[in-house]
Amino acid sequence: MLAKYSPVVIICLRKLMICLGLVLTVFEAKAQEFAFRRDQQQKQSISFKCIKNLIVVPLYVNGKGPYDFVLDTGVGPMIVTDPSIIDSLNFSMLRKIKVSGLGIETVEAFVSQNISARLGNAAMDHVPTAILKEDLFNLSGHLGIKIYGLIGYNFFNSFIVDIRYNENRIIVSNYGAKIKYRGEKIPIIVENQKPYVMASIEIPGGGTVNARFLIDTGASHALSLETLDGTAFPLPAKTISANLGMSLSGQIKGYVGRVKKFKLGDYTFKDVVAGFPDFKTISDKIDLTKRNGNLGADMLRKFNLQINYQQGFIYIKPNSLSKVPFEHDMVGMVIYLDQKEYKRLLIGEIDPNSPAERAGLCQDDEIIGVNFKAVDFYSLNDLTEMFKSKADRSIIFEIYRDKQVFFKVVKLEKRI
């Protein structure tokens, strides 16, 4: 069922935050840091795949792999979503925690510090790890490639991490190595293994407020605005109802709209697409006192970032993506690869009165062709970009439903 929920906020919004808060209390103090295996090595460049704005890196786990993991500033301990990659894993010998969250009564996770990981030449033994017995996020289905987990704080805290979104690579450097910083320096605060930054945002009705944002490379959106002055963040005049995604904490309902201005350091962006999760639902379960919202990768990718956790700052420099306008899905539906049969591209939830609904597309339809090309011709990332490409563009879907084939024409519509 999780596969049918919107990937707009693929991992974000409390992604395991409740769970990992508990995990931190059960880990012993034998965790170390990532370090280069070669004594004289000071830095390394590592290529990554950017899929729906997320950084996917090749990670070796317990000497085997590589396995595709999401590099995510929004998580603390490493998360393994597919336990089959860990040989001789005996769940009965691992400490188990039970977590409740929004829309989910009980979720089991297991914790371990007997797992090693390596990214490039940077390796760490005894990585604090939360292991899920199943992929609750269906990351593989939403990203179109097999994803085995997420890695965050322990890697970012071990190095100065230079993320070059426009080059699809990161450069990791030892603290103390010679670094040429580029762009503007902005202070950050790392609390509970997560980085926060201050930015200003124009609110509806005029006026600008300074707000605290979680820096989240593992969230595909640009902004999530959760709270202001202890209550819901004010909505723009024009919004659409939206399912903002699925986290361990449950399904997140809310709205999508645009904020007129968002300023990070000296850089200002206009008409930014933002999600507004339902305040009552999340505030009943989640502590929102630490932040006003979440700064995701659709915004972060417009910069090349140099992240320094230990000294508490980032450098940001606009790259070639900085002028790309923010756009929302103009079709109004979720697509995903069937988790058991990855060659089947299925339609999940469809927004009411959306172009997809008006064209006669239905939930659970299988897409077998797009614009007279077999669906295998496209990646999920290709289709996601196509759905945001240009208002009034027509897309022809070849659909398999009830043992029949239909052709449906969807005209893209800018809904916000």
Side-chain angles (χ1 to χ4, degrees), residues 111-122:
V111 295
S112 173
Q113 276 188 286
N114 293 316
I115 294 173
S116 64
R118 177 171 64 84
L119 178 55
N121 291 325

Side-chain angles (χ1 to χ4, degrees), residues 326-344:
F326 296 93
E327 291 296 353
H328 184 56
D329 163 44
M330 299 186 197
V331 174
M333 69 181 183
V334 176
I335 59 173
Y336 66 96
L337 289 174
D338 186 276
Q339 198 165 5
K340 295 179 181 178
E341 302 176 53
Y342 285 106
K343 293 184 179 180
R344 296 183 66 219

Side-chain angles (χ1 to χ4, degrees), residues 67-305:
Y67 304 109
D68 283 327
F69 272 62
V70 175
L71 186 62
D72 185 356
T73 54
V75 299
M78 184 168 75
I79 303 171
V80 172
T81 57
D82 185 343
S84 67
I85 67 174
I86 304 173
D87 290 339
S88 304
L89 184 63
N90 185 349
F91 282 104
S92 66
M93 300 296 291
L94 296 178
R95 184 161 184 177
K96 179 171 63 175
I97 60 174
K98 291 187 177 181
V99 184
S100 62
L102 302 175
I104 298 178
E105 292 185 1
T106 303
V107 174
E108 288 187 349
F110 297 81
V111 295
S112 173
Q113 276 188 286
N114 293 316
I115 294 173
S116 64
R118 177 171 64 84
L119 178 55
N121 291 325
M124 178 177 173
D125 296 323
H126 306 298
V127 182
T129 305
I131 303 165
L132 305 181
K133 292 186 76 170
E134 59 180 312
D135 182 1
L136 297 172
F137 303 114
N138 188 26
L139 296 180
S140 302
H142 285 313
L143 296 187
I145 64 172
K146 181 64 178 176
I147 299 293
Y148 293 88
L150 307 93
I151 186 165
Y153 173 78
N154 291 106
F155 186 79
F156 282 99
N157 193 52
S158 300
F159 301 104
I160 300 166
V161 181
D162 185 342
I163 303 175
R164 303 191 179 184
Y165 279 101
N166 62 332
E167 300 175 10
N168 282 8
R169 68 184 178 118
I170 61 172
I171 301 172
V172 293
S173 304
N174 281 335
Y175 287 98
K178 284 188 175 182
I179 303 293
K180 184 178 181 180
Y181 288 105
R182 304 174 309 279
E184 181 183 358
K185 183 179 182 179
I186 298 176
I188 64 172
I189 295 175
V190 180
E191 290 183 356
N192 295 324
Q193 301 191 347
K194 297 176 179 65
Y196 297 87
V197 67
M198 296 298 296
S200 64
I201 187 165
E202 184 175 317
I203 60 176
T208 300
V209 296
N210 290 322
R212 194 179 198 234
F213 291 89
L214 169 68
I215 301 172
D216 196 348
T217 61
S220 61
H221 60 233
L223 289 175
S224 173
L225 300 174
E226 300 159 8
T227 182
L228 182 64
D229 297 329
T231 187
F233 209 98
L235 294 175
K238 185 176 183 180
T239 62
I240 56 174
S241 297
N243 179 354
L244 297 179
M246 192 72 184
S247 74
L248 182 64
S249 301
Q251 184 180 359
I252 308 296
K253 290 287 189 179
Y255 301 90
V256 173
R258 291 181 182 269
V259 296
K260 290 185 177 180
K261 289 183 181 180
F262 175 84
K263 186 176 182 182
L264 180 63
D266 289 333
Y267 302 104
T268 300
F269 296 89
K270 297 180 179 180
D271 295 324
V272 180
V273 174
F276 298 81
D278 179 72
F279 177 77
K280 186 179 187 310
T281 303
I282 62 173
S283 63
D284 285 346
K285 292 283 188 179
I286 307 298
D287 179 9
L288 295 178
T289 61
K290 301 295 185 183
R291 72 194 199 198
N292 299 100
N294 173 292
L295 180 60
D298 197 30
M299 176 68 73
L300 297 172
R301 75 186 185 117
K302 297 182 180 300
F303 300 97
N304 288 339
L305 306 172

